[in-house]
Amino acid sequence: MSASFDLAIVRCGELLTLGGRSVGPRRRSEMSEIGLIRDGVVAISRGKIVWVGTQKEYRRRGRARREIDAEGRVVMPGFVDPHTHAVFAGSREGEWAEKLRGVPYLEILQRGGGILSTVEATRAASLKSLTERAETFLHKMLSCGTTTLEIKSGYGLDLSTEIKILKVIERLADRLPLDLVPTFMGAHAIPKEYSDRFEAYVYQVIEMLSTVRSRARFCDIFCEEGAFGYDQSRRILEAAKRAGFEIKLHAGEFSDQGGVRLAAEFGAVSVDHLDHIQSEEIPLLAQSGAVGVLLPGVSHFLMAKQLPPARALIEAGVPVALATDFNPGSSPCLSMQEIIHLAVRDFKLSAAEAISAATINAAHAVGMGDQVGSLEVGKQADILILDLEHYEELPYFFGVNHAAKVFKKGKMVYQDR
Ligand code: NIG
Ligand code: FE
């Protein structure tokens, strides 16, 4: 039998399939199983993976119509970035200088800076300029190997600007070879015009839900001191569930407000940050089915004193994912490669665990675990050829882009030279 494949990527020195025995996200020691095939081949037809195996087996089966030579390098699934705030205007490097001098993130927010200064700039920006800016960012992400990402609204905090941001995400999805997962985050901060009327803004967010429902898959809440507390988050979650949203939560970034308990109760798909999770909440999170999304770019950029208990989470059976949290205040980082480096260095994940967290578990964190995140037959051909011989070099050589070629749905969408 020959030429049954449109395309084959051949001579993959280390082919990381991330194929697993279980269908769900990877837990505990499964996170170390990256499905490594030495001297491997991955074959593609009509944008999907149709065959994976060794070079020897492939030679017996015949050839594809077109072959791309990986030249003995590392080949793996495209990164999935399950937590970003990529649509915004302005930037906040001045505030970062203050943070470096010791001014806390939440203090800057309280005085009307932080998220609220980005809200002001984003409200004033046109749909066109927001789209162009975000497109530049997303191109950089793609060139660093991200092939699927989640994007949150949340720099509008009024109905028209929240819709403007969600429309930008729709335009970007039309323009770019990326899968984008839109999240409504009207509950990101309390806008200035509601500063002394918190409850009225909670009501406002609940009112917005039905209007934005058709434009967003997930609803997310910044469950935090100075943002949305336990009771306020609970009311928004009840309404979001009724409106048919799937749930994500920012929980435990700077303090514990009971976000993990809420996530478990409301069947959240992911709970993100977790720096301040209480130890008794860890088994609850493991049983809840939610993916725990860790954001080492935030800990690094804000010089956090307390890191999430990554090892305890993995040992307890929480499926851990990684994300950039790309945003102008706490993590202006576009590259999942950098995040993998930080996760290994600071959170003590192994290279294999970090790779599982940035691919298959991240795919589950955006509800796309059946389509992307591993190189298994039937899944989308979202594939990276990295300029590396061994996968352990991915976190090790830091500060450079290792992506030599990026494929989305079987098409080459980036090449380094
Ligand atoms: O995940 N904490 C809330 N949201 C972002 C920060 C957004 C911003 O500072 O603009 C985060 O850290
Ligand atoms: Fe965030």
Side-chain angles (χ1 to χ4, degrees):
M1 187 222 53
S2 67
S4 58
F5 312 133
D6 293 348
L7 172 70
I9 302 175
V10 302
R11 293 217 305 138
C12 307
E14 291 185 357
L15 177 62
L16 316 184
T17 66
L18 276 299
R21 284 167 284 158
S22 54
V23 283
R26 307 295 142 79
R27 299 167 190 267
R28 299 191 177 90
S29 61
E30 291 169 350
M31 286 187 68
S32 307
E33 297 167 15
I34 52 174
L36 190 154
I37 301 176
R38 282 183 213 288
D39 211 11
V41 175
V42 52
I44 298 151
S45 282
R46 272 177 257 113
K48 295 226 165 120
I49 292 163
V50 288
W51 189 84
V52 180
T54 63
Q55 191 81 30
K56 247 192 191 157
E57 290 161 344
Y58 172 71
R59 287 295 169 228
R60 281 203 293 272
R61 292 207 57 170
R63 289 184 173 235
R65 275 182 278 279
R66 200 159 67 89
E67 288 184 350
I68 288 179
D69 187 350
E71 297 169 3
R73 295 177 288 186
V74 172
V75 175
M76 64 172 291
F79 298 121
V80 177
D81 189 345
H83 181 146
T84 85
H85 307 251
V87 180
F88 59 87
S91 60
R92 310 213 307 259
E93 59 281 351
E95 283 181 3
W96 188 46
E98 282 186 72
K99 287 178 206 148
L100 291 176
R101 289 196 298 271
V103 184
Y105 178 94
L106 289 177
E107 196 177 304
I108 295 174
L109 178 62
Q110 263 150 30
R111 65 158 202 243
I115 294 171
L116 296 178
S117 75
T118 302
V119 167
E120 212 171 300
T122 306
R123 284 179 177 177
S126 68
L127 184 80
K128 186 167 178 287
S129 69
L130 283 174
T131 307
E132 283 167 3
R133 179 104 186 283
E135 193 172 354
T136 310
F137 290 138
L138 266 54
H139 263 298
K140 288 185 180 152
M141 289 177 163
L142 179 67
S143 68
C144 292
T146 297
T147 47
T148 297
L149 69 141
E150 183 258 16
I151 307 181
K152 303 173 199 300
S153 71
Y155 290 122
L157 311 184
D158 61 33
L159 183 61
S160 64
T161 318
E162 288 294 310
I163 289 177
K164 180 169 72 178
I165 296 168
L166 293 168
K167 279 187 180 163
V168 169
I169 301 171
E170 285 160 24
R171 286 196 176 187
L172 294 167
D174 287 341
R175 285 189 193 184
L176 293 164
L178 283 164
D179 279 303
L180 304 183
V181 181
T183 294
F184 170 64
M185 201 173 175
H188 195 194
I190 292 81
K192 277 183 192 147
E193 62 275 20
Y194 284 92
S195 57
D196 50 358
R197 296 179 296 141
F198 270 37
E199 290 306 316
Y201 186 64
V202 171
Y203 183 74
Q204 193 58 39
V205 171
I206 291 171
E207 284 278 279
M208 285 189 234
L209 289 168
S210 60
T211 317
V212 298
R213 176 65 192 97
S214 61
R215 300 183 190 274
R217 175 170 180 172
F218 289 96
C219 177
D220 194 346
I221 301 170
F222 189 18
C223 184
E224 187 55 68
E225 190 191 327
F228 298 83
Y230 182 88
D231 291 330
Q232 296 160 327
S233 300
R234 164 176 267 289
R235 261 177 292 143
I236 297 168
L237 286 170
E238 279 167 357
K241 272 285 198 192
R242 266 200 308 278
F245 283 93
E246 293 173 80
I247 304 301
K248 286 178 168 287
L249 269 184
H250 280 60
E253 182 173 2
F254 302 103
S255 66
D256 177 36
Q257 303 290 323
V260 171
R261 276 178 281 137
L262 285 173
E265 183 184 336
F266 285 88
V269 172
S270 80
V271 194
D272 304 30
H273 287 286
L274 300 171
D275 309 66
H276 292 262
I277 186 173
Q278 306 293 320
S279 49
E280 57 275 18
E281 292 173 332
I282 295 178
L284 183 67
L285 180 56
Q287 282 153 26
S288 76
V291 176
V293 179
L294 303 185
L295 307 163
V298 176
S299 316
H300 169 76
F301 190 73
L302 297 182
M303 300 176 300
K305 291 195 184 74
Q306 188 163 330
L307 303 180
R311 185 53 49 199
L313 292 168
I314 292 174
E315 278 172 2
V318 176
V320 165
L322 291 169
T324 59
D325 196 5
F326 173 65
N327 77 76
S330 69
S331 185
C333 173
L334 293 157
S335 169
M336 286 296 283
Q337 297 178 47
E338 183 66 30
I339 294 303
I340 287 171
H341 164 73
L342 293 173
V344 169
R345 198 199 92 106
D346 298 336
F347 294 0
K348 314 298 177 206
L349 268 62
S350 68
E353 287 171 334
I355 287 170
S356 298
T359 55
I360 185 66
N361 281 4
H364 283 285
V366 294
M368 289 185 70
D370 55 343
Q371 296 157 65
V372 298
S374 65
L375 304 182
E376 293 177 283
V377 171
K379 282 200 170 180
Q380 277 180 206
D382 296 358
I383 304 174
L384 312 179
I385 301 179
L386 302 178
D387 212 353
L388 298 169
E389 265 181 66
H390 304 296
Y391 74 85
E392 293 99 327
E393 294 172 332
L394 175 54
Y396 169 76
F397 286 112
F398 75 102
V400 286
N401 182 12
H402 300 297
K405 290 184 172 63
V406 178
F407 297 84
K408 181 67 184 174
K409 294 182 183 162
K411 287 209 174 72
M412 190 159 71
V413 291
Y414 170 79
Q415 156 157 242
D416 68 342
R417 54 178 175 260

